[in-house]
Amino acid sequence: MIALFTDFGLEGPYTGQVKAVLHRTAPGVPVIDLFADAPAGRPKPAAYLLAAYGAWFPPATVLLAIVDPGVGGNRAAVIIAAEDRWYVGPDNGLFELVTRRAGTARTWEIGWRPEALSASFHGRDLFAPVAGQLAIGKLPIEAPRPAEIGRHPDWPDDLPEIVYIDRFGNAMTGLRADSLAMGARLAVSGRLLARARTFSDAPPGEAFWYENANGLVEIAVNAGRADTMMGLAIGSPVTILR
Amino acid sequence: MIALFTDFGLEGPYTGQVKAVLHRTAPGVPVIDLFADAPAGRPKPAAYLLAAYGAWFPPATVLLAIVDPGVGGNRAAVIIAAEDRWYVGPDNGLFELVTRRAGTARTWEIGWRPEALSASFHGRDLFAPVAGQLAIGKLPIEAPRPAEIGRHPDWPDDLPEIVYIDRFGNAMTGLRADSLAMGARLAVSGRLLARARTFSDAPPGEAFWYENANGLVEIAVNAGRADTMMGLAIGSPVTILR
Amino acid sequence: MIALFTDFGLEGPYTGQVKAVLHRTAPGVPVIDLFADAPAGRPKPAAYLLAAYGAWFPPATVLLAIVDPGVGGNRAAVIIAAEDRWYVGPDNGLFELVTRRAGTARTWEIGWRPEALSASFHGRDLFAPVAGQLAIGKLPIEAPRPAEIGRHPDWPDDLPEIVYIDRFGNAMTGLRADSLAMGARLAVSGRLLARARTFSDAPPGEAFWYENANGLVEIAVNAGRADTMMGLAIGSPVTILR
């Protein structure tokens, strides 16, 4: 299975062209849209989101992960093997948390370049062919070389910021819920939020935090939008009160 | 074939995870996105939409239908067999019109629970595995038990309200067009609308109603947006003048 | 492979129903969403977009292209064979540039009509079954007849207007980059834009033009939105300064 984690959107031409390449390279392999609206051009919040959601997929899944503001510049293209899954994408911090949380991770730099490499769409021209080859168990066309990816030791293990806002206005943080005490409260935009088990456990209109279905601390309002109610955006800080 | 009718959206993580489960449970079965923007958290208008659009699919289709504001609470999870199709989702009224319009409908409660059931994402953890099993002709992992679903006898056979607004600003109602006289007019937001056969039969800028391609009464404006022109939203009432 | 080029959107019911028909008509053939947000109801800008993006697909691809404001009226339904690809859709100018740029193009009018043809959704009822039949190498149910499509000799070979704005705010024009001199500048909304190779070659916040990954002149801002910064919309004019 190949899972796409990008900021490309689905309606325009980008994801479709990536999928066309994947279907040709790895015929019959299911391609799943995991996120098409990952934090646009922001590898840091995207890295926490990817680590939380990539871990949900079964062994041997190839995660094609592209949040790549430096496309066409000199950042490297990499393959990561972490916890029995493959990750393919740009070396810009996007794989920092995946790598850090894995017991052992191996990393390679992709030396191969296609005959026609556009300056702005490496997702289609470079990363998709490599991901497709991995998905069918073939090494990429030219052997990648073991490499160290750029590391970001200053990034925390859990990020006390909003990393994603979903279509319902729920705001995911970069905090794993199991890093918080059960009774922990969060201070967000001047409000104090208690934990709830799920939406229907909170009174309508009340803000709360809960452990979402992929283990992240998420801020929500039963029958309301947390983002507009609290003025939240990607990067908004949250504070843990114990 | 499995058709998805949800309010999950496509770009974020929800539909993709559901599809990942379906591909693993029912490999090779096509999965169709019917609606990813069904009325969010509103089973009543969604029920009229589902009945109109589900009926278009061929026999043996599994409709995985999830508009589930009470997820994690005590509403039941159900399977419905109606007019040679399967429906899987929460028992909150979403299947009221499907059931009512079917000559005979059989209903079961899903007793099975997965080892890991999140509090907020039964679409992925509970409903998708059951829908996948149905799609490959297997009974769900543990036998569901025949059950009565909760009924809503007070809901009308046809709902004189807006139930969906599409990307063009066209507003679908919960009225089946064949329930109206050919010459019927509609009063909507203080305007009187006549019937047209299709867009190109109405002068540009003029509002009209027509029978849409799935049999519903839909309010539209040729070369314009009915929603903004008339201030329509899901739940806006329409009145039939005969 | 079947590629969809429409203004239907993905979340609502239209693309899903088209795909359901394609899966039944051409089981196992991959269906790619190329554009679901082509210029809504505007065949002219869509024609330049289609010509640029259709040409990227491999031989034998079927491009199901539907931007069809006259649906239900008397425009013809056509099949075009151009440069080893198939195009299926309405005869309203949408295929003007595909046809003009092909060395030789053959065109047929689709005489077949399905038993149930809705007035407003020929994409599902008429075009999708024909595209599916083409994709599996069968002639459509009834032989199409060779025909001339309506031509638009007054449309330029390259359109100096915005034809698409993507989710990042980048604005594609109907100009092929290889029709411009390398040092050409563009005048857009009172600004003078120089060429850059890609985003990372321009200073943050600066507008530029570049050759996008499908050969079109595209107006962009590094780490910004060109559409809002310059007030661009589909149809906005650009002027080439040599």
Side-chain angles (χ1 to χ4, degrees), chain A residues 10-11 167, chain B residues 3-11 15 32-39 49 53 56-57 163-168 170 172 212 214 218, chain C residues 4 6-20 33 36 121:
Chain A
L10 296 177
E11 301 217 321
R167 72 189 329 248
Chain B
L4 304 187
F5 179 101
T6 77
D7 57 4
F8 289 169
L10 295 177
E11 302 216 322
T15 293
I32 297 293
D33 296 298
L34 174 56
F35 278 92
D37 61 350
L49 204 59
Y53 281 81
W56 178 80
F57 281 83
V163 299
Y164 181 74
I165 294 178
D166 77 9
R167 72 188 327 248
F168 306 104
N170 304 324
M172 298 182 194
N212 81 8
N214 286 78
E218 184 170 311
Chain C
L4 304 187
T6 76
D7 58 4
F8 290 168
L10 296 178
E11 302 215 321
Y14 308 117
T15 293
Q17 290 181 289
V18 165
K19 287 184 180 173
D33 295 299
F121 199 1

Side-chain angles (χ1 to χ4, degrees), chain B residues 194-216:
Chain B
R195 184 177 195 150
R197 192 180 56 90
T198 189
F199 288 73
S200 53
D201 286 1
E206 185 168 305
F208 61 93
W209 76 266
Y210 80 114
E211 176 176 351
N212 81 8
N214 286 78
L216 290 180

Side-chain angles (χ1 to χ4, degrees), chain B residues 4 7 28 30 54 58-59 64 88-90 104 114 136 144 157 160 173 178 182 188 190 202 210 223 229 237 240:
Chain B
L4 304 187
D7 57 4
L64 177 52
V88 177
T104 56
I136 56 171
D157 287 345
T173 70
D178 59 15
M182 273 303 290
V188 183
Y210 80 114
M229 186 165 135
I240 305 166

Side-chain angles (χ1 to χ4, degrees), chain C residues 59-199:
Chain C
T61 298
V62 178
L63 284 124
L64 177 52
I66 308 171
V67 173
D68 193 14
V71 62
N74 58 10
R75 58 97 191 97
V78 294
I79 300 171
I80 317 239
E83 292 178 331
D84 293 326
R85 291 174 208 97
W86 297 100
Y87 293 81
V88 177
D91 182 17
N92 60 13
L94 185 57
F95 303 114
E96 172 65 24
L97 277 298
V98 164
T99 305
R100 193 186 298 180
R101 291 179 190 171
T104 54
R106 288 176 299 156
T107 57
W108 297 264
E109 184 173 344
I110 301 169
W112 174 74
R113 291 293 177 275
E115 276 183 47
L117 177 66
S118 64
S120 57
F121 199 1
H122 289 196
R124 178 191 73 185
D125 298 335
L126 178 61
F127 296 121
V130 170
Q133 295 269 333
L134 280 169
I136 56 171
K138 286 191 189 171
L139 276 176
I141 300 119
E142 292 185 22
R145 47 177 185 278
E148 294 298 306
I149 64 167
R151 299 305 301 268
H152 298 261
D154 53 314
W155 292 7
D157 285 347
D158 290 87
L159 185 69
E161 293 179 9
I162 303 304
V163 299
Y164 181 74
I165 294 178
D166 77 9
R167 72 190 326 250
F168 305 104
N170 304 324
M172 299 182 193
T173 70
L175 301 166
R176 287 167 296 183
D178 59 16
S179 72
L180 270 67
M182 273 304 290
R185 292 176 300 166
L186 291 184
V188 183
S189 299
R191 288 174 193 251
L192 204 57
L193 308 185
R195 184 177 194 147
R197 193 181 56 89
T198 188
F199 287 74

